[in-house]
Amino acid sequence: MAYQGVLDDIRTCLTGGLPGKLPVFAMSQVFDAVQIGYTFEDLEADKSKLIESAIRGIERFDWDWGWAPIGDSATFEPLGFEYGPKREGRGNNPYIVTSHLPASRQTLREMRIIDPETEGRMHFHLEAIRALKQRFKDTICTIGWVVGPLQCAAYLYGVQDTFLLVYDDPDLLKDTLHFFVDQAVAVVESEARYGADAIFVPDLLAASYFLSTEQYRELVLPAHKKLFAHIDKLGLPVFFHPNEPRNDHLRVMSELKDVCDLALTVGSEGNIIEAKRELGNLVCLMGNVHCLDVLRDGDPSAVKREVEKMIEGVSRKGGHILNTCATMSYDTPLENALAMVKTARSVE
């Protein structure tokens, strides 16, 4: 169950040390909702269900963090963008932006910073932070969440046109990223006021699937440094989730630790044991229990083997927070989620 000292254990991990207890996280929001008879769409539309799902997930599965993000569309919703569930589905598909604007200076000039406390549904997330903090106090790590700047740029312009800017107008891309850094700063300042202990930042398009390491360093890394330095000024660590599988790309991303306390997730196609071997304690790694082939499609014994292998290859070397590699599938077997936590709790 939630315990006093978890924040100290996380701080130890962030500095490369061995914690008294291994922190156990999971990107479990859809899974947690389904376990109590809700869908993710229910959580998107009803603040009380969002809060209930997060609380009951912690109580049932013993996660060491409390997070209650809503769909990535929340930043764009007040600006009149169309949004809806991924893959034209409903139920357990988080909402995303489904309409875009031209990749131009004119579009960027017409954008404005929204107030997360008064516009759109972002206040659902803020009030969930407050509720989790009031309920669990410092016995869990209460998480703020903000979408990274490159991912936001792709929602604004569309993925294809955003990446064309890499070659056609890199200055516009840079300026767009810095605009979304300013938007993210407004969000994280609110999250800090509502009681967040750390900030989770997904920016999946920053991974080497989409950008070379050199392109990331030149175009995106400065925006990440600007955002993460501001989060550090608020006294909060960053849990950065780029879903990055390659160690050379992770090494460049680890430079972000120079501006903040950082945990960096290893991507679903990456090998966290190899990453730990190559990077050592250069940066705290987070992950990398596989959501589909192990947690969803395996059985409890397979989950146990996966977690034990990770503990031996990564956790015992210090600087590691156990987490899923990505969002848990809604149809993950209950007994597999329990096996993940039980195995991790056996670490001495």
Side-chain angles (χ1 to χ4, degrees):
M1 192 53 199
Y3 68 97
Q4 289 291 343
V6 64
L7 297 180
D8 289 334
D9 282 338
I10 290 169
R11 281 189 285 270
T12 297
C13 293
L14 292 171
T15 57
L18 284 166
K21 281 186 176 182
L22 176 63
V24 180
F25 298 169
M27 298 181 220
S28 62
Q29 191 179 28
V30 177
F31 170 78
D32 290 340
V34 169
Q35 293 303 309
I36 59 174
Y38 295 149
T39 65
F40 192 87
E41 192 169 27
D42 291 330
L43 274 53
E44 295 269 4
D46 189 322
K47 175 185 64 181
S48 63
K49 291 178 180 178
L50 178 71
I51 294 170
E52 179 192 359
S53 178
I55 289 173
R56 290 179 64 178
I58 293 165
E59 291 176 342
R60 185 169 191 182
F61 298 104
D62 200 19
W63 312 128
D64 286 328
W65 72 353
W67 77 324
I70 56 177
D72 292 358
S73 63
T75 298
F76 295 86
E77 176 187 342
L79 300 174
F81 283 73
E82 295 177 4
Y83 62 93
K86 293 181 181 179
R87 295 184 296 276
E88 299 181 355
R90 297 184 69 82
N92 289 312
N93 290 313
Y95 288 176
I96 60 170
V97 176
T98 57
S99 66
H100 311 292
L101 295 176
S104 68
R105 287 281 169 188
Q106 182 66 24
T107 295
L108 184 57
R109 281 194 294 269
E110 292 177 355
M111 291 291 290
R112 65 175 178 83
I113 303 297
I114 70 158
D115 182 345
E117 298 183 28
T118 62
E119 298 185 83
R121 291 173 296 123
M122 185 62 79
H123 69 95
F124 285 15
H125 168 60
L126 296 174
E127 291 174 35
I129 290 173
R130 176 180 286 162
L132 288 167
K133 196 65 177 177
Q134 289 175 343
R135 178 65 169 261
F136 296 102
K137 299 184 171 56
D138 290 340
T139 65
I140 63 166
C141 183
T142 300
I143 301 297
W145 155 89
V146 66
V147 181
L150 185 57
Q151 205 160 314
C152 284
Y155 285 135
L156 176 60
Y157 301 138
V159 173
Q160 179 174 312
D161 286 354
T162 296
F163 283 105
L164 285 174
L165 291 178
V166 171
Y167 306 97
D168 295 343
D169 196 342
D171 287 339
L172 175 57
L173 178 59
K174 290 178 184 177
D175 290 345
T176 303
L177 297 181
H178 285 287
F179 168 82
F180 283 113
V181 168
D182 292 341
Q183 175 63 78
V185 165
V187 173
V188 299
E189 287 182 345
S190 292
E191 291 171 333
R193 286 194 293 271
Y194 275 70
D197 296 308
I199 306 296
F200 183 85
V201 183
D203 208 350
L204 305 185
L205 297 185
S208 57
Y209 301 109
F210 306 98
L211 292 170
S212 71
T213 302
E214 293 73 22
Q215 288 168 336
Y216 171 75
R217 181 188 290 281
E218 178 185 354
L219 297 172
V220 185
L221 182 62
H224 283 160
K225 284 186 174 180
K226 179 181 176 183
L227 173 58
F228 292 6
H230 193 92
I231 296 172
D232 183 71
K233 288 179 181 177
L234 297 172
L236 305 177
V238 176
F239 299 150
F240 181 36
H241 179 59
N243 195 35
E244 176 52 52
R246 282 177 34 182
N247 293 344
D248 58 340
H249 216 72
L250 288 168
R251 183 176 290 277
V252 174
M253 288 175 164
S254 71
E255 294 177 18
L256 292 162
K257 76 181 189 318
D258 295 336
V259 299
C260 68
D261 290 330
L262 179 72
L264 177 60
T265 65
V266 177
S268 54
E269 296 184 12
N271 185 321
I272 195 170
I273 294 175
E274 289 299 322
K276 186 66 174 177
R277 186 175 295 124
E278 180 168 329
L279 300 178
N281 282 334
L282 181 64
V283 65
C284 175
L285 297 179
M286 190 163 70
N288 187 32
V289 180
H290 285 80
C291 296
L292 299 181
D293 55 345
V294 176
L295 278 174
R296 186 191 66 183
D297 299 337
D299 58 20
S301 62
V303 174
K304 183 174 184 290
R305 288 193 300 272
E306 171 91 350
V307 175
E308 287 177 340
K309 180 179 177 182
M310 201 165 299
I311 288 168
E312 288 302 315
V314 187
S315 306
R316 292 194 187 281
K317 301 180 187 303
H320 177 233
I321 295 170
L322 190 74
N323 199 350
T324 53
C325 68
T327 300
M328 290 175 67
S329 178
Y330 72 93
D331 54 352
T332 298
L334 170 66
E335 58 270 20
N336 286 1
L338 294 172
M340 172 183 161
V341 177
K342 180 179 179 182
T343 305
R345 295 299 184 215
S346 68
V347 177
E348 296 180 357

